[in-house]
Coordinates of all heavy atoms in Angstrom, one line a residue:
N455 N -67.4 19.7 -41.4 CA -66.9 21.0 -41.8 C -67.6 22.1 -41.0 O -68.1 23.1 -41.5 CB -67.2 21.2 -43.3 CG -66.3 22.4 -43.8 OD1 -65.3 22.7 -43.3 ND2 -66.8 23.0 -44.9
V456 N -67.7 21.9 -39.7 CA -68.3 22.9 -38.8 C -67.2 23.7 -38.1 O -66.2 23.1 -37.7 CB -69.2 22.2 -37.7 CG1 -69.7 23.2 -36.7 CG2 -70.3 21.4 -38.4
Y457 N -67.3 24.9 -38.1 CA -66.3 25.7 -37.4 C -66.5 25.7 -35.9 O -67.6 25.7 -35.4 CB -66.4 27.2 -37.8 CG -66.0 27.4 -39.2 CD1 -66.9 27.7 -40.2 CD2 -64.7 27.4 -39.6 CE1 -66.5 28.0 -41.5 CE2 -64.3 27.6 -40.9 CZ -65.2 27.9 -41.9 OH -64.8 28.1 -43.2
A458 N -65.4 25.6 -35.2 CA -65.4 25.7 -33.7 C -64.1 26.5 -33.3 O -63.1 26.3 -34.0 CB -65.5 24.4 -33.1
D459 N -64.2 27.3 -32.3 CA -63.0 28.0 -31.8 C -63.0 28.0 -30.3 O -64.1 27.9 -29.7 CB -63.0 29.4 -32.4 CG -61.7 30.1 -32.1 OD1 -60.7 29.8 -32.7 OD2 -61.7 31.0 -31.3
N460 N -61.9 28.1 -29.7 CA -61.8 28.3 -28.3 C -60.9 29.5 -27.9 O -60.0 29.8 -28.7 CB -61.4 27.0 -27.5 CG -60.0 26.6 -27.8 OD1 -59.1 27.5 -27.9 ND2 -59.7 25.4 -27.9
Q461 N -61.3 30.1 -26.8 CA -60.5 31.2 -26.3 C -60.2 31.0 -24.9 O -61.0 30.4 -24.1 CB -61.3 32.5 -26.4 CG -61.8 32.9 -27.8 CD -60.7 33.4 -28.7 OE1 -59.8 34.0 -28.2 NE2 -60.8 33.1 -30.0
K462 N -59.0 31.3 -24.4 CA -58.6 31.2 -23.0 C -58.5 32.6 -22.4 O -57.9 33.5 -23.0 CB -57.3 30.5 -22.9 CG -56.9 30.4 -21.4 CD -55.5 29.7 -21.3 CE -55.1 29.8 -19.8 NZ -53.7 29.5 -19.7
L463 N -59.2 32.8 -21.3 CA -59.1 34.1 -20.6 C -58.4 33.8 -19.2 O -58.9 32.9 -18.5 CB -60.5 34.7 -20.3 CG -61.2 35.3 -21.5 CD1 -61.9 34.3 -22.3 CD2 -62.1 36.3 -21.0
D464 N -57.5 34.6 -18.9 CA -56.8 34.5 -17.7 C -56.7 35.8 -17.0 O -56.1 36.7 -17.5 CB -55.4 33.9 -17.9 CG -54.6 33.7 -16.6 OD1 -55.1 34.1 -15.5 OD2 -53.6 33.0 -16.6
K465 N -57.4 36.0 -15.9 CA -57.5 37.3 -15.2 C -56.5 37.4 -14.1 O -56.7 38.2 -13.2 CB -58.9 37.5 -14.7 CG -60.0 37.5 -15.8 CD -61.3 37.9 -15.3 CE -61.4 39.2 -14.6 NZ -61.1 40.4 -15.4
N466 N -55.4 36.6 -14.1 CA -54.5 36.6 -13.0 C -53.9 38.0 -12.7 O -53.8 38.5 -11.6 CB -53.4 35.6 -13.3 CG -52.6 35.4 -12.0 OD1 -53.1 35.3 -10.9 ND2 -51.3 35.2 -12.2
F467 N -53.5 38.7 -13.8 CA -52.9 40.0 -13.6 C -53.9 41.0 -12.9 O -53.6 41.7 -12.0 CB -52.3 40.6 -14.9 CG -51.7 41.9 -14.8 CD1 -50.4 42.1 -14.2 CD2 -52.3 43.1 -15.2 CE1 -49.9 43.3 -14.0 CE2 -51.7 44.3 -15.1 CZ -50.5 44.4 -14.5
F468 N -55.1 41.0 -13.5 CA -56.1 41.9 -12.9 C -56.5 41.5 -11.5 O -56.6 42.3 -10.6 CB -57.4 41.8 -13.8 CG -58.6 42.4 -13.2 CD1 -58.8 43.8 -13.2 CD2 -59.5 41.6 -12.6 CE1 -59.9 44.4 -12.6 CE2 -60.7 42.2 -12.0 CZ -60.8 43.6 -12.0
R469 N -56.6 40.2 -11.3 CA -57.0 39.7 -10.0 C -56.0 40.1 -8.9 O -56.4 40.5 -7.8 CB -57.1 38.1 -10.0 CG -57.5 37.5 -8.7 CD -57.3 36.0 -8.6 NE -55.9 35.7 -8.7 CZ -55.0 35.8 -7.7 NH1 -55.4 36.1 -6.5 NH2 -53.8 35.4 -7.8
K470 N -54.7 40.0 -9.2 CA -53.7 40.4 -8.2 C -53.9 41.8 -7.8 O -53.9 42.2 -6.6 CB -52.3 40.1 -8.8 CG -51.2 40.6 -8.0 CD -50.8 39.7 -6.8 CE -49.5 40.1 -6.2 NZ -49.7 40.8 -4.9
Q471 N -54.0 42.7 -8.8 CA -54.1 44.1 -8.5 C -55.4 44.4 -7.7 O -55.4 45.2 -6.8 CB -54.1 44.9 -9.8 CG -52.7 45.0 -10.4 CD -52.8 45.8 -11.7 OE1 -53.8 45.9 -12.4 NE2 -51.6 46.3 -12.1
Y472 N -56.5 43.8 -8.2 CA -57.8 44.0 -7.5 C -57.8 43.5 -6.1 O -58.2 44.2 -5.2 CB -58.9 43.3 -8.3 CG -60.3 43.7 -8.0 CD1 -60.9 44.7 -8.7 CD2 -61.0 43.1 -7.0 CE1 -62.2 45.1 -8.5 CE2 -62.3 43.5 -6.7 CZ -62.9 44.5 -7.4 OH -64.2 44.9 -7.1
N473 N -57.2 42.3 -5.9 CA -57.2 41.7 -4.6 C -56.3 42.6 -3.6 O -56.7 42.8 -2.5 CB -56.6 40.3 -4.7 CG -56.8 39.5 -3.4 OD1 -57.6 39.9 -2.5 ND2 -56.0 38.5 -3.2
D474 N -55.2 43.1 -4.1 CA -54.3 43.9 -3.3 C -55.0 45.2 -2.9 O -54.8 45.7 -1.8 CB -53.0 44.3 -4.0 CG -52.1 43.1 -4.1 OD1 -52.4 42.1 -3.5 OD2 -51.1 43.2 -4.9
R475 N -55.9 45.8 -3.7 CA -56.5 47.0 -3.5 C -57.8 46.9 -2.7 O -58.1 47.7 -1.7 CB -56.8 47.8 -4.8 CG -57.4 49.1 -4.6 CD -57.4 50.0 -5.8 NE -57.9 51.3 -5.5 CZ -58.2 52.2 -6.4 NH1 -58.0 51.9 -7.6 NH2 -58.7 53.3 -6.0
F476 N -58.6 45.9 -3.0 CA -60.0 45.8 -2.4 C -60.2 44.6 -1.5 O -61.2 44.6 -0.8 CB -61.0 45.8 -3.5 CG -61.1 47.0 -4.4 CD1 -60.6 46.9 -5.7 CD2 -61.5 48.2 -3.9 CE1 -60.6 48.0 -6.5 CE2 -61.5 49.3 -4.7 CZ -61.0 49.2 -6.0
G477 N -59.3 43.7 -1.5 CA -59.4 42.5 -0.6 C -60.0 41.3 -1.3 O -60.6 41.4 -2.3
H478 N -59.8 40.2 -0.6 CA -60.2 38.9 -1.2 C -61.7 38.7 -1.4 O -62.1 38.2 -2.4 CB -59.6 37.8 -0.3 CG -59.8 36.4 -0.8 ND1 -59.2 35.9 -1.9 CD2 -60.7 35.4 -0.4 CE1 -59.6 34.7 -2.2 NE2 -60.5 34.4 -1.3
I479 N -62.5 39.2 -0.4 CA -63.9 39.0 -0.5 C -64.4 39.8 -1.7 O -65.3 39.3 -2.5 CB -64.6 39.5 0.8 CG1 -64.2 38.5 1.9 CG2 -66.1 39.5 0.6 CD1 -64.7 38.9 3.3
S480 N -64.0 41.0 -1.9 CA -64.4 41.9 -3.0 C -63.9 41.2 -4.3 O -64.7 41.2 -5.3 CB -63.8 43.3 -2.9 OG -64.4 43.9 -1.8
E481 N -62.8 40.7 -4.3 CA -62.2 40.0 -5.5 C -63.1 38.8 -5.9 O -63.4 38.6 -7.1 CB -60.8 39.6 -5.3 CG -60.2 38.9 -6.5 CD -59.5 37.6 -6.2 OE1 -59.2 37.4 -5.0 OE2 -59.4 36.8 -7.1
D482 N -63.5 38.0 -4.9 CA -64.4 36.9 -5.2 C -65.7 37.4 -5.8 O -66.2 36.7 -6.8 CB -64.7 36.1 -3.9 CG -63.6 35.2 -3.5 OD1 -62.6 35.0 -4.2 OD2 -63.6 34.8 -2.3
Q483 N -66.3 38.4 -5.3 CA -67.6 39.0 -5.9 C -67.3 39.4 -7.3 O -68.2 39.2 -8.2 CB -68.1 40.1 -5.0 CG -69.4 40.7 -5.5 CD -70.5 39.6 -5.7 OE1 -70.7 38.8 -4.8 NE2 -71.2 39.7 -6.8
C484 N -66.2 40.1 -7.5 CA -65.9 40.6 -8.9 C -65.8 39.4 -9.8 O -66.3 39.5 -11.0 CB -64.6 41.4 -8.8 SG -64.1 42.0 -10.4
L485 N -65.1 38.4 -9.4 CA -64.9 37.2 -10.3 C -66.3 36.5 -10.6 O -66.5 36.1 -11.7 CB -64.0 36.2 -9.6 CG -63.5 35.0 -10.4 CD1 -62.8 35.5 -11.7 CD2 -62.6 34.2 -9.6
R486 N -67.2 36.5 -9.6 CA -68.5 35.9 -9.8 C -69.3 36.8 -10.8 O -70.0 36.2 -11.7 CB -69.3 35.8 -8.5 CG -68.9 34.6 -7.7 CD -69.9 34.3 -6.6 NE -69.9 35.4 -5.6 CZ -69.0 35.4 -4.6 NH1 -68.1 34.5 -4.4 NH2 -69.1 36.4 -3.7
T487 N -69.2 38.1 -10.7 CA -69.8 39.0 -11.6 C -69.3 38.8 -13.0 O -70.0 38.7 -14.0 CB -69.7 40.4 -11.2 OG1 -70.3 40.6 -9.9 CG2 -70.3 41.4 -12.1
F488 N -68.0 38.7 -13.1 CA -67.3 38.5 -14.4 C -67.8 37.2 -15.1 O -68.1 37.1 -16.3 CB -65.8 38.6 -14.3 CG -65.1 38.4 -15.6 CD1 -65.1 39.4 -16.6 CD2 -64.3 37.2 -15.8 CE1 -64.4 39.2 -17.7 CE2 -63.7 37.1 -17.0 CZ -63.7 38.0 -17.9
A489 N -67.8 36.1 -14.2 CA -68.2 34.8 -14.8 C -69.7 34.9 -15.3 O -70.0 34.3 -16.3 CB -68.1 33.8 -13.7
G490 N -70.5 35.6 -14.6 CA -71.9 35.8 -15.0 C -72.0 36.5 -16.3 O -72.8 36.1 -17.2
F491 N -71.2 37.5 -16.5 CA -71.1 38.2 -17.8 C -70.7 37.3 -18.9 O -71.3 37.3 -19.9 CB -70.1 39.4 -17.6 CG -69.6 40.0 -18.9 CD1 -70.5 40.8 -19.7 CD2 -68.4 39.6 -19.4 CE1 -70.0 41.3 -20.9 CE2 -67.9 40.1 -20.6 CZ -68.8 40.9 -21.4
L492 N -69.6 36.5 -18.7 CA -69.1 35.6 -19.7 C -70.2 34.6 -20.0 O -70.4 34.3 -21.2 CB -67.8 34.9 -19.2 CG -66.6 35.7 -19.1 CD1 -65.4 34.9 -18.6 CD2 -66.2 36.3 -20.5
K493 N -70.8 34.0 -19.0 CA -71.8 33.0 -19.2 C -72.9 33.5 -20.2 O -73.4 32.9 -21.1 CB -72.4 32.6 -17.9 CG -73.4 31.5 -18.0 CD -73.9 31.0 -16.6 CE -75.0 30.0 -16.8 NZ -75.5 29.6 -15.4
K494 N -73.4 34.7 -19.9 CA -74.5 35.3 -20.7 C -74.0 35.6 -22.1 O -74.7 35.2 -23.1 CB -74.9 36.7 -20.1 CG -76.0 37.3 -20.8 CD -76.4 38.6 -20.2 CE -77.5 39.4 -21.0 NZ -77.8 40.7 -20.4
E495 N -72.8 36.1 -22.3 CA -72.2 36.4 -23.6 C -72.1 35.1 -24.4 O -72.4 35.0 -25.6 CB -70.9 37.1 -23.5 CG -70.9 38.5 -23.1 CD -71.5 39.4 -24.1 OE1 -71.1 39.3 -25.3 OE2 -72.3 40.3 -23.8
V496 N -71.6 34.0 -23.8 CA -71.3 32.8 -24.4 C -72.7 32.1 -24.8 O -72.8 31.5 -25.9 CB -70.4 31.9 -23.6 CG1 -70.4 30.5 -24.1 CG2 -69.0 32.5 -23.5
Q497 N -73.6 32.1 -23.9 CA -74.9 31.5 -24.1 C -75.6 32.2 -25.3 O -76.3 31.5 -26.1 CB -75.8 31.5 -22.9 CG -75.4 30.5 -21.9 CD -76.2 30.6 -20.6 OE1 -76.9 31.6 -20.3 NE2 -76.2 29.5 -19.8

């Protein structure tokens, strides 16, 4: 009787706009920063 939940995040819409405006390298850095934020929040 332990609660567990999962959430799915899909940044595809954001990623496309960001990549078109700032380029692929900037988008990769943004994604790494976002992943670090999520990791900290989840931990």
Side-chain angles (χ1 to χ4, degrees):
N455 198 26
V456 175
Y457 290 108
D459 188 71
N460 68 36
Q461 303 286 326
K462 178 184 175 194
L463 284 84
D464 184 347
K465 295 189 59 65
N466 192 40
F467 181 73
F468 169 80
R469 182 195 62 82
K470 171 82 170 106
Q471 290 179 334
Y472 196 94
N473 193 19
D474 288 350
R475 183 166 182 190
F476 299 107
H478 185 70
I479 293 172
S480 293
E481 181 230 339
D482 284 346
Q483 180 58 43
C484 179
L485 189 57
R486 282 192 293 275
T487 300
F488 180 70
F491 162 77
L492 289 178
K493 182 178 179 181
K494 182 179 175 185
E495 288 288 317
V496 170
Q497 285 177 339

